[in-house]
Amino acid sequence: MIESTRIFSGFAVPDVPAAKAFYADTLGLGVTEQMGGLVLDLGDDHHIFVYPKPDHVPATYTILNLEVADIDAAVDSLEASGVRLLRYEGFGQDERGIQRPGGKHPGPDIAWFTDPAGNILSVLQPPAE
């Protein structure tokens, strides 16, 4: 068995300065530069390493989900920052691009967007308990 001292995830971007500006300024995450990449501070001592990869190809799935208390306010903030929400055919998203619970979708309210590298992210609001 591996005895790890810490576990964290990572993903690639082709342009570290653009990623730093997006994650720090647009999303408001704590960002530090380390080892030629970035460390995103997710709180509670959870981090993600963002590393440079010149031939980066974005994933076709969501790489990072940001849980929010108010999805409408989060979408307002993203749009005010110039972020465009993704629209997926057949997902039943509303006019704002938010998929809301009901019918085929029993999960949280969720909206998807991309970072400057084309990586897919989401904001989601869990259902009220």
Side-chain angles (χ1 to χ4, degrees), residues 81-104:
S81 295
V83 174
R84 292 185 188 179
L85 297 181
L86 298 174
R87 303 295 201 278
Y88 294 109
E89 190 169 327
F91 274 47
Q93 292 162 283
D94 66 17
E95 66 283 347
R96 300 196 66 205
I98 302 170
Q99 185 182 58
R100 300 189 189 267
K104 296 182 204 176

Side-chain angles (χ1 to χ4, degrees), residues 13-17 19 32-39 49-53:
V13 297
D15 184 341
V16 171
T32 56
E33 295 183 41
Q34 289 185 17
M35 300 180 289
L38 305 172
V39 175
F49 185 64
V50 179
Y51 55 93
K53 187 171 188 296

Side-chain angles (χ1 to χ4, degrees), residues 11 19-32 38-43 46-48 50 64-68 113 115 121-123:
F11 60 87
K20 182 179 182 183
F22 179 79
Y23 286 97
D25 301 336
T26 303
L27 298 185
L29 297 177
V31 178
T32 56
L38 305 172
V39 175
L40 305 182
D41 182 356
L42 306 178
H46 298 288
H47 302 91
I48 293 179
V50 179
L64 185 62
N65 297 288
L66 304 169
E67 188 174 302
V68 297
F113 58 99
D115 72 1
L121 299 95
S122 82
V123 287

